[in-house]
Structures are given as C-alpha cells and as structure tokens.
Amino acid sequence: MSRATRRIVVAHLTEHGMNPAEIASELEVSADTVRRDLREAPPAVVTETVTAAPPPAPGLLLPESTQLRQDLNLLAASYRAQSEDVARFAIHVAAEAIRRRMQARFAADDRQGVRS
C-alpha cells in the first residue's frame, strides 16, 4: 500500500473511532507510523464539483459504466484521493474480508479435524 493510500486509510479509520494502536495492528505498521500519518496528512480540500476521473491506465480495465464512474468519483472526493488509490483500497478491503472469513473457516475445520 502506498504512503498516500495508507494516510487515507488511517484518516478514515480515525474518523470511525479507531485509535492509533488499533489502526497500526489492522494495517500491520507501527503505531508511530500511524501517528506520523495523522500528523502529516494533507489538509482537507473542499471542492464544489467533482471532475471526471481520467481514463483507466492499462492494467485493470473495467467496462465503462456511468454508475461505476459516479461511484468512483464519489469515493475519490470523500477520501480526498486519486481514483486509482481509492479503487486499490476498496479492492484490498474486500479481499481482506474474504481472507479473514476463509482463515476462520479453515481454522474451524482444523479444530474439528475436517480435512479437504
């Protein structure tokens, strides 16, 4: 995760009531890193209009959809970040949730002696 993306995530988690130690554990960084990210976070920028995001760079291409573009613009404005960083964060969060569910399921299977 890039420093810019991490700062967005740290700010978001702080706004949702997590303390630096909890955030550090969640992101697998030190509490000092979290505190530095909070200190060095860029000032909030208020914009009146949301401009269209640039076309996607080669790599992850999705079919163009008005709703997808609007959703991505809304997230980018909310997190005060580039669309690419917001998309990376959203994909990371979704994948982490699935990893945790799978790990919990495999751990439960191991406790019950079930092997696949």
Side-chain angles (χ1 to χ4, degrees), residues 4-105:
T5 302
R6 188 184 65 234
R7 286 181 177 167
I8 293 165
V9 174
V10 166
H12 177 75
L13 294 176
T14 300
E15 288 173 7
H16 284 84
M18 289 180 75
N19 65 44
E22 293 169 326
I23 295 170
S25 175
E26 180 71 24
L27 299 180
E28 297 179 351
V29 297
S30 72
D32 287 336
T33 297
V34 172
R35 284 189 283 276
R36 185 179 62 243
D37 285 347
L38 288 170
R39 246 188 348 264
E40 297 174 2
V45 176
V46 178
T47 58
E48 292 183 18
T49 59
V50 175
T51 58
L60 177 64
L61 298 176
L62 300 172
E64 183 60 33
S65 151
T66 302
Q67 185 63 55
L68 178 63
R69 178 67 58 205
Q70 289 172 346
D71 292 345
L72 188 56
N73 287 340
L74 175 65
L75 288 170
S78 297
Y79 287 110
R80 292 176 249 123
Q82 296 296 316
S83 299
E84 183 178 316
D85 288 335
V86 172
R88 268 194 203 103
F89 172 65
I91 291 168
H92 173 73
V93 168
E96 271 305 305
I98 292 169
R99 279 187 202 99
R100 287 187 185 125
R101 282 196 303 266
M102 290 175 66
Q103 287 171 346
R105 186 173 128 208

